[in-house]
Amino acid sequence: MKEPTTEIDIEASAVTTMLHPTLPPTASPHQALVERLKDYGQEDVFALWDELSPEERDLLLQDIENLDLPRIDRIIRCSLQSQGLPVAAIEPVPENCVSTVEERTKEDRDKWWKMGLKAIYEGKLGVVLLSGGQGTRLGSSDPKGCYNIGLPSGKSLFQIQAERILCVQRLAAQAMSEASPRPVTIHWYIMTSPFTHEPTQKFFESHKYFGLEPDQVTFFQQGTLPCISKDGKFIMETPFSLAKAPDGNGGVYAALKSSRLLDDMASRGIKYVDCYGVDNVLVRVADPTFLGYFIDKGAASAAKVVRKAYPQEKVGVFVRRGKGGPLTVVEYTELDQSMASATNQQTGRLQFCWSNVCLHMFTLDFLNQVANGLEKDSVYHLAEKKIPSINGDTVGLKLEQFIFDCFPYAPSTALFEVLREEEFAPVKNANGSNFDTPESARLLVLRLHTRWVIAAGGFLTHSVPLYATGVEVSPLCSYAGENLEAICRGRTFHAPCEISL
């Protein structure tokens, strides 16, 4: 018995006829989508249509209808065509593009700190957190920011970062209190993925936003893209759904634009944007010194960098692409052994020594330019991965953009060296791995904070060797080791412990 025609069927039929006038007016949504997919060579997604139940057919139709097919087709074509194209040779970053630790004077640091606090007080800084990943490699299915690395306080990565924002707000208010005392608010934009969005929001709600105002935190999702075969065809995860994957941490640019958050930033008076990844427990969120340096340089983009530990370290490094070209980041695989080991005869450093650690600063104007430029060019990195499919795991391609894809668009990029032991403690691998574990990050925090406490006149006792323990200073007490004398001088702390207000 034939189902009665609904309003939705009539509308779908009308749209179908407009898109494909050769189709009969009664063509079904399924037929319409087949014809649309033929325009892009993707009609094979309906190969098993006849075997699907009515519910599965609805799911497949919904999956396809939610795709921006012209955009995805453009991305696939541009990305595949870009493979193997010649690229300009790479050169070392010019010395004048980098502010190194040893050349930085106390006057510089003080000036930049004050400039940064003033801009924060005036509401000119927004913060973007890249938090789309789960803690899978850490043995957890929760968002990575929920992870507790085992500090004495038991705080999660999210809480540590939220409290650093609270501390900077207080420091900015205190620094400018003589001008016109008022509360200072830094707006925090948190990028999630379809896998982490809801649990991230619930985690913040259940912890009362860690003391922040709920309306100063905005959650937004990065996009996903279909996984493809090497000839550009969609891979089916099930007979009624496409295999999809998040579009990389560089998807932040498209996500900020499509969510109209760049407009939101402008409406709040934000001019500068601090952008970082969630898995660095030592990250100085909204760093006033870095912001002041950035403003002082007048650059469109900036990045904190650390020196490579050794020539063959598997890290991406900043380079200049072509003579007089823009700064950009290349993966370690693009440097042959002789390039990786080459040294600068004047400085004694490796020629390619400035490691990218995903700590960036941008002007809002530049973010708008990047979002438009990356969308126009539509070139994504193709990552060869095992993709779950109807035929079991199959080798396919994920389409990704990286956060550092922005730098070739920048008219100027400034690099700011920081010390690894002070600002870079990544949490990427489970305990027992050789590097970047919760335990290695925990020890980096404890050792740094122990140095702060001793410098402030405090003393430590410990029942295990000091290299294996230490103290944790709450971000609510001190942002970067300042203002600890009143709390620590003459006092003895038994490690491990947390020093808090």
Side-chain angles (χ1 to χ4, degrees):
M1 178 177 165
K2 187 178 177 183
E3 294 290 329
T5 302
T6 65
E7 272 188 49
I8 293 173
D9 293 329
I10 294 168
E11 286 181 13
S13 176
V15 170
T16 301
T17 308
M18 287 168 60
L19 289 169
H20 290 276
T22 55
L23 286 173
T26 56
S28 69
H30 159 236
Q31 291 171 307
L33 282 177
V34 169
E35 292 305 316
R36 283 190 67 203
L37 288 164
K38 280 181 180 177
D39 293 342
Y40 305 108
Q42 302 288 2
E43 65 273 16
D44 287 351
V45 300
F46 283 112
L48 299 176
W49 177 260
D50 291 341
E51 300 173 21
L52 301 182
S53 69
E55 293 78 13
E56 291 171 338
R57 289 182 177 186
D58 286 343
L59 289 170
L60 179 56
L61 289 174
Q62 186 178 350
D63 207 16
I64 303 301
E65 285 168 347
N66 286 336
L67 297 178
D68 184 344
L69 285 170
R71 176 177 183 263
I72 291 170
D73 179 67
R74 185 175 70 249
I75 288 170
I76 293 171
R77 284 187 294 103
C78 293
S79 302
L80 290 172
Q81 289 166 8
S82 72
Q83 298 302 293
L85 292 178
V87 293
I90 59 177
E91 299 180 353
V93 172
E95 292 294 316
N96 63 1
C97 291
V98 189
S99 167
T100 61
V101 170
E102 66 251 24
E103 74 181 16
R104 215 171 287 153
T105 66
K106 183 178 185 304
E107 290 73 20
D108 286 335
R109 294 195 302 271
D110 289 346
K111 176 180 75 170
W112 293 333
W113 176 262
K114 290 173 183 174
M115 288 177 69
L117 288 178
K118 182 174 184 289
I120 290 166
Y121 178 79
E122 293 169 348
K124 293 179 180 178
L125 180 69
V127 174
V128 171
L129 167 59
L130 309 175
S131 183
Q134 294 167 290
T136 311
R137 280 191 281 174
L138 302 171
S140 169
S141 60
D142 292 331
K144 196 181 279 188
C146 301
Y147 197 80
N148 164 15
I149 67 167
L151 289 169
S153 66
K155 291 174 182 175
S156 64
L157 295 172
F158 281 141
Q159 181 169 355
I160 292 167
Q161 292 161 26
E163 290 183 354
R164 289 208 175 109
I165 290 175
L166 285 166
C167 185
V168 172
Q169 289 178 169
R170 188 182 73 244
L171 289 168
Q174 289 171 348
M176 303 300 293
S177 60
E178 292 180 6
S180 53
R182 59 176 171 78
V184 174
T185 300
I186 297 172
H187 203 87
W188 200 12
Y189 299 88
I190 299 178
M191 185 177 81
T192 64
S193 68
F195 313 107
T196 64
H197 190 74
E198 188 175 343
T200 298
Q201 284 185 304
K202 286 183 175 176
F203 192 75
F204 271 73
E205 289 165 4
S206 66
H207 290 83
K208 296 183 169 49
Y209 290 81
F210 310 105
L212 296 169
E213 295 298 326
D215 61 2
Q216 78 178 97
V217 182
T218 298
F219 302 96
F220 67 105
Q221 287 193 58
Q222 71 183 108
T224 60
L225 287 170
C227 301
I228 58 172
S229 61
K230 291 184 178 180
D231 59 356
K233 302 292 187 185
F234 294 159
I235 293 173
M236 300 300 293
E237 184 168 356
T238 71
F240 50 87
S241 65
L242 297 172
K244 298 193 195 77
D247 54 5
N249 61 13
V252 66
Y253 305 114
L256 284 171
K257 185 174 176 64
S258 64
S259 302
R260 301 191 67 80
L261 291 179
L262 296 176
D263 295 336
D264 180 79
M265 291 177 184
S267 71
R268 295 176 187 274
I270 291 170
K271 295 188 180 301
Y272 312 107
V273 179
D274 180 26
C275 183
Y276 70 97
V278 72
D279 56 5
N280 177 7
V281 72
L282 284 179
V283 60
R284 293 187 181 177
V285 187
D287 182 358
T289 304
F290 186 36
L291 174 58
Y293 164 76
F294 180 58
I295 295 170
D296 196 31
K297 292 290 285 187
S301 64
K304 288 184 175 180
V305 291
V306 301
R307 297 190 194 199
K308 281 180 75 172
Y310 51 91
Q312 270 65 53
E313 187 181 11
K314 295 181 177 180
V315 292
V317 294
F318 276 90
V319 302
R320 169 158 274 173
R321 180 68 81 178
K323 197 160 190 68
L327 300 193
T328 188
V329 175
V330 298
E331 294 298 338
Y332 65 92
T333 50
E334 290 191 54
L335 297 177
D336 61 36
Q337 191 162 348
S338 63
M339 292 176 76
S341 303
T343 56
N344 181 319
Q345 297 303 312
Q346 289 183 316
T347 64
R349 289 193 296 264
L350 294 171
Q351 285 190 350
F352 298 96
C353 71
W354 301 119
S355 302
N356 172 48
V357 288
C358 196
L359 300 169
H360 305 313
M361 191 77 72
F362 308 115
T363 65
L364 182 57
D365 288 343
F366 177 62
L367 278 184
N368 274 292
Q369 178 190 337
V370 168
N372 293 329
L374 286 171
E375 187 64 28
K376 177 174 172 287
D377 294 342
S378 295
V379 176
Y380 282 59
H381 303 268
L382 298 169
E384 191 171 296
K385 303 279 186 179
K386 284 186 177 178
I387 311 292
S389 79
I390 52 179
N391 301 313
D393 283 353
T394 185
V395 175
L397 301 172
K398 289 184 178 180
L399 294 149
E400 298 176 317
Q401 286 185 325
F402 300 143
I403 190 71
F404 56 73
D405 288 341
C406 66
F407 292 111
Y409 294 87
S412 56
T413 296
L415 302 185
F416 187 82
E417 183 193 7
V418 297
L419 298 177
R420 192 182 291 244
E421 61 269 24
E422 292 184 356
E423 297 198 39
F424 188 51
V427 183
K428 295 184 181 296
N429 305 307
N431 285 328
S433 302
N434 292 329
F435 54 89
D436 297 347
T437 64
E439 178 64 10
S440 66
R442 183 183 72 87
L443 288 174
L444 282 167
V445 173
L446 296 180
R447 288 168 187 166
L448 175 63
H449 291 191
T450 295
R451 294 196 295 275
W452 289 357
V453 169
I454 292 170
F459 302 93
L460 259 68
T461 59
H462 45 95
S463 48
V464 297
L466 191 55
Y467 67 79
T469 189
V471 294
E472 173 191 2
V473 175
S474 167
L476 298 175
C477 289
S478 181
Y479 182 78
E482 78 292 331
N483 301 331
L484 285 175
E485 287 80 3
I487 302 172
C488 298
R489 185 167 299 283
R491 290 184 62 190
T492 299
F493 303 92
H494 185 75
C497 69
E498 182 197 21
I499 299 172
S500 58
L501 292 173

